[in-house]
Amino acid sequence: MIRIVDLRKQYGRLAAVDGLNIEVSEGEIFGFLGPNGAGKTTTIRVMMGILKATSGQVILGGHDIEREPEQAKAIAGFIPDRPFIYEKLSAKEFLIFIGKLRRMDSARLQRRIAELLEHLELLDWQDELVEGFSHGMKQRLVLCAALVHEPRILVVDEPMVGMDPKGARTLKDLFRSLARAGTAIFLSTHSISVAQEVCHRIGIIQKGHLIASGTMADLHRLTRAQDRNLEDVFLELTRQQDDLAVIERDRQL
Amino acid sequence: MTSVLLLLSPTWLSWKNEFRRGGDRWGRRSFLFALSIGFWIGTFYVIRRVLTYFQSVHELGPALAYQLLLIVLLTFLSMLLFSNLITALSAFFLARDLDLIMSTPLSQDLFYYSRLIITTANSSWMVLFFSLPIFAAYGAVFGGGILFYLWVILCLPLFLIIPASFGVLVTHLFVYFLPAKRVRDILFFVGLFAFIVIYFLFRLSQPERLVRPESFGHFVQFLTAMETPSSPYLPSSWSAEILAGTLFQRSTDQGFYYALMASYALFFPLATSWISSAVYLDGWSKAQESRQGRRKLEWLDRVIFLVTRPFSPVVQAVMVKDIKTFMRDATQWSQVFLLVALVVVYLYNFKVLPLDRSPMPAETIRIVVSFANLALVGFVLSAVAMRFAFPAVSLEGKAFWLLQTAPISLKSLLWSKFWLNLLPLLLIGELLVFASNLMLRVPAWMMMLSLVTVFAMTFGITAICVGVGAIYPRFAYDHVAEISTSFGGAICMIFSIGFIGLTVMVEAWPIYLLASQSLRSGETQTVTPWLIAPSLLTAFALAVVAVVVPIRKALGSLEAMKD
């Protein structure tokens, strides 16, 4: 459902993402882990057609994001790390706007809005202006906007930031149920516990390179640490890469 | 079409919601509405008087009115060009909703046309607002009738869309072609480009021709020149031709000029849409990359440190932060270009003033013009202060809590804003008054009086703007320009103009006596200090009040925020 092929994105001389290859199937939740500045958000922005790749391809549901952007975006939903919502619109007005942008017919749109607002406990707030919402409520509204058109692909950047435990639990349950219904989810996160809990496979990116990818078992095998949790595995893998970089630099010197 | 309307819906829905749920803002709205109506009536009255006077000038009247119309339209065109360049950059490449919109399956054409409409509306409403009483005055004086207003309604949309699409086109090309790594570099070029265009547009209008009929040799030649546009290839001249045809019953081919305007109004948006679809994504991607990183200029850091050194460490820290933020925020410093254009045009006007053609003795007219210049410099300073000093506290934005929770008194904060804005304003004010007085060749005492008055006036203007800006802060804003166009902005402008008016009034009497003396004798023989000193002292006292009262009120208002 999602194919990232030899993706490279360069900012001037700095390669933020370099030679990235990832595939995510239908109904799979792929966790995208990495330290700050590793290239996670850049990858996601290229995936959604917000940034242009220097080279390589992103294919969503068989559509190349650069060659067929409208078709590719039509089947995808996106939750950015710092979402923008029109503050002077009400929650319902905002969702109607997004639904119409995605060419949904009115009846279906109204049904979906009611379902989502109910599910994410925003129904009582539907006619209130967004400017009066708390951080968590805004996040839930952005989630509604990403799901309103029932996307086959969901791309999520740091979903749990600022969420209370109840909200976080609702979100994790929602991801699982979406995956069961066949949605491919690409989940970028800092939160190792979230990745460990909900993701079928995990990719670890560091300095623009995918340094490891696979199921939890695969990652344990890689670090030869069967009894350790994902946090230890993550730290071990990123440390190994740092060590390798130091050795390489010393060798060149 | 439906989709373009859909893309515009957040804007008008936001307006609608803001309007309906405004609550306690009705008082402010009524005040602003009354102010607008007052402004319209005032503008209409002044322009009507000027035009009525023109009309009374035998044979030359319509030609003068036509030239004025040309200059007004040319001014509008240049304002539109500049504001469209900045607005297009913001709407197409920097708006906060771009990520949201671009992640949806939207065709490039729909996106382009919706943003073009937003750009046109945002950058043109003010010109539209200012132009209506002017057109109404022309219609009233020259009796254009219903046909004139019909032409105005037909011409205005075309007149607005041409510079808007041209601005969008130039912005696209700048963002795409310039090897700029930062949006501020692009804004630098946009500003520079706009400045050059505006300068040339003004030079093309050659307003000084109006007062030098002898340069034409013969009256018929002069009249012909006055009835001909000096820049026939600009939409402003085409619009003037169309409107003049009805107003002055001139034999103009209105159909031809309208077709010319319509063809450009169709061609530019269409051509720009082709270019946009070819270069937009690359340009936008580049604009986002340019948000990363910055050049570190150590020498600049050292200069800022040295300039702010005389202040206490806490005030210095706030000032350094403000200066750096200002220089790194392209939406703020790009306004400096507008300021430079204003200063250049201002000084140029003094250069071409035909003082020697006046029936009064040269010295008298020099004193009178120099005195009037005091008020003008005051207005320029208050316009600049509205842009930079008034938003000073609001610019703390959502980070204001940092200062509220820091061990810094609000008094120190306000004074830091005051001093930071005062120094550049003093420089501009003194430079303007010194340069214009130099061009006017005023006597030494007038030069001294002007410099000292502007010195005192700048203190008052800065404090009024910083103070009222703190009393009506606007911490949540989308664009910095919103802050000065708020309700508080209108209040600030009224106080500022009132203060300038009072200062000028207290000096009017001694200047009148001295000017009368020179009128009788040809020059001012003696300038006794007792004649000027009381007025100057009163002006200083006024400045002290203008500094103390707003800052004290602002302090009270900021303290009350804690409640």
Side-chain angles (χ1 to χ4, degrees):
Chain A
M1 189 58 76
I2 301 174
R3 272 182 64 212
I4 299 176
V5 186
D6 289 332
L7 187 70
R8 183 179 170 80
K9 176 66 196 174
Q10 214 152 339
Y11 295 124
R13 281 189 300 178
L14 172 83
V17 176
D18 198 1
L20 196 65
N21 286 287
I22 295 172
E23 282 201 32
V24 184
S25 328
E26 221 173 276
E28 187 179 25
I29 305 178
F30 182 82
F32 198 43
L33 249 68
N36 290 333
K40 299 190 296 292
T41 298
T42 299
T43 306
I44 281 182
R45 292 173 77 79
V46 173
M47 282 174 76
M48 290 311 299
I50 295 170
L51 267 179
K52 231 177 161 182
T54 308
S55 62
Q57 269 185 311
V58 173
I59 295 160
L60 304 181
H63 305 287
D64 187 315
I65 191 72
E66 270 194 36
R67 289 194 198 132
E68 303 168 288
E70 286 177 50
Q71 288 89 332
K73 288 174 190 175
I75 55 163
F78 175 45
I79 305 173
D81 57 342
R82 277 174 293 177
F84 171 82
I85 316 178
Y86 300 97
E87 299 261 315
K88 296 284 179 199
L89 297 195
S90 70
K92 195 172 177 183
E93 284 171 340
F94 177 65
L95 291 178
I96 290 174
F97 169 66
I98 296 292
K100 285 190 175 170
L101 270 186
R102 294 191 170 275
R103 302 188 183 102
M104 292 173 75
D105 65 72
S106 285
R108 184 174 158 231
L109 180 57
Q110 293 297 338
R111 179 180 55 79
R112 280 295 290 164
I113 289 174
E115 272 172 23
L116 287 164
L117 290 177
E118 169 88 66
H119 189 73
L120 291 162
E121 295 172 14
L122 287 171
L123 203 56
D124 291 341
W125 297 81
Q126 61 176 335
D127 294 319
E128 295 300 318
L129 296 194
V130 173
E131 65 184 2
F133 281 24
S134 69
H135 179 72
M137 286 162 76
K138 282 182 186 168
Q139 276 184 315
R140 279 182 274 152
L141 182 61
V142 170
L143 189 64
C144 292
L147 296 176
V148 73
H149 60 298
E150 295 171 283
R152 288 161 58 203
I153 293 168
L154 185 63
V155 180
V156 192
D157 197 0
E158 303 293 356
M160 306 296 180
V161 181
M163 269 209 176
D164 60 21
K166 191 182 166 207
R169 168 60 64 85
T170 311
L171 195 61
K172 282 185 264 186
D173 291 344
L174 185 71
F175 287 156
R176 287 195 197 98
S177 74
L178 283 169
R180 274 197 297 277
T183 309
I185 302 178
F186 190 96
L187 184 87
S188 155
T189 180
H190 272 120
S191 167
I192 290 171
S193 63
V194 172
Q196 197 163 13
E197 244 178 283
V198 298
C199 297
H200 299 121
R201 277 193 310 129
I202 288 162
I204 297 176
I205 184 172
Q206 193 180 22
K207 291 177 183 162
H209 296 274
L210 192 69
I211 57 170
S213 174
T215 60
M216 275 301 294
D218 295 335
L219 296 181
H220 278 133
R221 264 197 301 280
L222 259 174
T223 51
R224 298 185 195 90
Q226 300 295 334
D227 53 341
R228 289 155 77 182
N229 62 22
L230 181 59
E231 188 173 334
D232 296 329
V233 172
F234 173 76
L235 292 173
E236 175 65 22
L237 282 167
T238 48
R239 189 188 57 78
Q240 280 176 12
Q241 283 297 311
D242 282 338
D243 290 349
L244 279 173
V246 171
I247 293 166
E248 176 67 12
R249 196 185 60 207
D250 289 348
R251 195 180 60 78
Q252 282 179 353
L253 281 171
Chain B
M1 190 63 193
T2 321
S3 299
V4 171
L5 289 179
L6 173 69
L7 278 174
L8 298 174
S9 66
T11 312
W12 68 260
L13 276 174
S14 298
W15 285 345
K16 195 183 83 181
N17 288 335
E18 176 89 356
F19 192 74
R20 274 180 27 201
R21 304 180 195 208
D24 59 330
R25 293 185 190 150
W26 280 104
R28 291 180 176 198
R29 278 180 199 154
S30 313
F31 177 78
L32 282 180
F33 183 73
L35 205 67
S36 312
I37 296 292
F39 175 82
W40 267 32
I41 294 170
T43 311
F44 175 79
Y45 178 75
V46 170
I47 300 285
R48 202 186 63 173
R49 279 206 67 166
V50 171
L51 292 176
T52 310
Y53 171 73
F54 280 175
Q55 201 186 25
S56 67
V57 182
H58 184 61
E59 286 198 38
L60 203 59
L64 284 171
Y66 170 73
Q67 281 294 327
L68 183 67
L69 184 66
L70 267 178
I71 291 170
V72 166
L73 288 171
L74 193 66
T75 310
F76 285 159
L77 186 69
S78 44
M79 280 163 69
L80 284 170
L81 263 176
F82 184 80
S83 80
N84 272 302
L85 283 166
I86 301 292
T87 315
L89 191 67
S90 163
F92 279 84
F93 297 100
L94 301 174
R96 288 196 299 160
D97 64 346
L98 283 173
D99 283 5
L100 175 76
I101 299 292
M102 294 309 288
S103 62
T104 59
L106 195 70
S107 78
Q108 179 57 34
D109 267 358
L110 281 180
F111 171 76
Y112 162 76
Y113 282 109
S114 67
R115 293 284 147 157
L116 176 66
I117 293 170
I118 289 173
T119 306
T120 313
N122 283 347
S123 55
S124 310
W125 71 268
M126 210 176 257
V127 164
L128 202 62
F129 178 80
F130 280 110
S131 69
L132 293 181
I134 297 176
F135 289 129
Y138 266 94
V141 173
F142 290 96
I146 194 86
L147 195 63
F148 168 69
Y149 295 107
L150 196 68
W151 275 121
V152 169
I153 294 167
L154 285 172
C155 284
L156 268 180
L158 308 183
F159 184 70
L160 299 178
I161 198 79
I162 294 173
S165 43
F166 182 70
V168 172
L169 173 73
V170 173
T171 308
H172 270 72
L173 295 178
F174 269 126
V175 176
Y176 182 72
F177 283 114
L178 280 180
K181 293 238 163 150
R182 291 163 184 82
V183 173
R184 58 181 174 170
D185 296 341
I186 293 167
L187 263 170
F188 172 82
F189 285 104
V190 164
L192 195 66
F193 178 78
F195 170 73
I196 293 166
V197 168
I198 289 170
Y199 180 77
F200 275 103
L201 283 181
F202 267 99
R203 288 312 307 126
L204 279 173
S205 75
Q206 299 172 43
E208 65 274 16
R209 290 191 321 163
L210 294 170
V211 289
R212 285 201 193 122
E214 74 279 6
S215 60
F216 293 93
H218 196 274
F219 180 72
V220 179
Q221 253 182 322
F222 176 60
L223 198 62
T224 314
M226 295 292 273
E227 287 178 340
T228 320
S230 48
S231 41
Y233 303 111
L234 293 175
S236 53
S237 305
W238 307 335
S239 310
E241 282 298 309
I242 294 168
L243 299 180
T246 308
L247 279 175
F248 315 123
Q249 284 82 45
R250 286 168 49 160
S251 53
T252 310
D253 191 348
Q254 286 167 303
F256 166 75
Y257 283 108
Y258 191 74
L260 198 61
M261 278 190 80
S263 62
Y264 273 84
L266 289 171
F267 169 75
F268 265 123
L270 195 66
T272 309
S273 88
W274 297 331
I275 288 169
S276 178
S277 60
V279 306
Y280 179 74
L281 265 178
D282 281 312
W284 187 49
S285 194
K286 214 162 128 180
Q288 291 176 86
E289 291 162 33
S290 64
R291 286 177 196 167
Q292 330 261 333
R294 65 176 193 92
R295 273 181 299 236
K296 186 156 172 62
L297 299 172
E298 274 169 18
W299 65 267
L300 197 62
D301 289 351
R302 274 201 291 276
V303 170
I304 296 171
F305 182 77
L306 282 175
V307 170
T308 54
R309 209 173 174 175
F311 299 92
S312 75
V314 174
V315 172
Q316 186 187 24
V318 177
M319 288 173 105
V320 168
K321 185 268 295 172
D322 281 348
I323 297 172
K324 287 186 174 177
T325 313
F326 175 80
M327 289 195 302
R328 288 172 197 168
D329 184 352
T331 55
Q332 284 193 60
W333 65 253
S334 59
Q335 299 180 69
V336 171
F337 282 106
L338 208 60
L339 178 65
V340 175
L342 191 72
V343 169
V344 169
V345 171
Y346 186 92
L347 290 178
Y348 183 79
N349 286 340
F350 277 92
K351 196 168 169 252
V352 295
L353 266 183
L355 297 176
D356 47 337
R357 297 186 47 76
S358 163
M360 279 194 272
E363 173 126 344
T364 313
I365 193 83
R366 281 179 213 289
I367 293 169
V368 172
V369 173
S370 171
F371 182 62
N373 185 38
L374 276 181
L376 287 177
V377 169
F379 294 144
V380 170
L381 282 178
S382 80
V384 176
M386 275 302 296
R387 281 283 186 190
F388 299 106
F390 179 77
V393 172
S394 300
L395 281 174
E396 293 297 336
K398 288 175 181 161
F400 191 58
W401 65 271
L402 270 171
L403 294 171
Q404 282 178 312
T405 53
I408 170 175
S409 70
L410 289 171
K411 198 174 170 183
S412 307
L413 174 74
L414 271 181
W415 283 114
S416 78
K417 305 282 180 195
F418 172 80
W419 289 112
L420 192 63
N421 284 285
L422 177 79
L423 299 177
L425 282 170
L426 262 181
L427 196 72
I428 297 167
E430 296 290 356
L431 181 83
L432 272 182
V433 88
F434 180 75
S436 45
N437 276 351
L438 214 59
M439 284 173 190
L440 286 169
R441 299 197 300 279
V442 294
W445 65 268
M446 188 67 207
M447 176 68 101
M448 273 315 290
L449 180 78
S450 305
L451 289 174
V452 173
T453 308
V454 166
F455 182 81
M457 211 151 62
T458 314
F459 273 76
I461 292 169
T462 312
I464 289 173
C465 287
V466 171
V468 180
I471 296 169
Y472 296 99
R474 189 167 176 159
F475 294 118
Y477 57 88
D478 286 329
H479 191 277
V480 66
E482 273 175 35
I483 303 170
S484 355
T485 51
S486 62
F487 174 77
I491 299 281
C492 180
M493 206 65 194
I494 291 169
F495 276 115
S496 185
I497 288 174
F499 166 68
I500 296 163
L502 274 177
T503 310
V504 172
M505 266 159 64
V506 298
E507 288 186 0
W509 183 71
I511 298 293
Y512 168 74
L513 288 182
L514 289 164
S516 313
Q517 190 187 26
S518 69
L519 191 60
R520 285 191 298 272
S521 60
E523 62 180 70
T524 43
Q525 305 287 332
T526 48
V527 179
T528 43
W530 65 265
L531 197 63
I532 296 174
S535 301
L536 208 54
L537 282 175
T538 317
F540 263 93
L542 270 174
V544 171
V545 173
V547 171
V548 174
V549 175
I551 295 287
R552 202 170 271 179
K553 290 268 174 207
L555 203 58
S557 171
L558 288 180
E559 290 287 354
M561 274 173 70
K562 292 176 187 167
D563 304 333

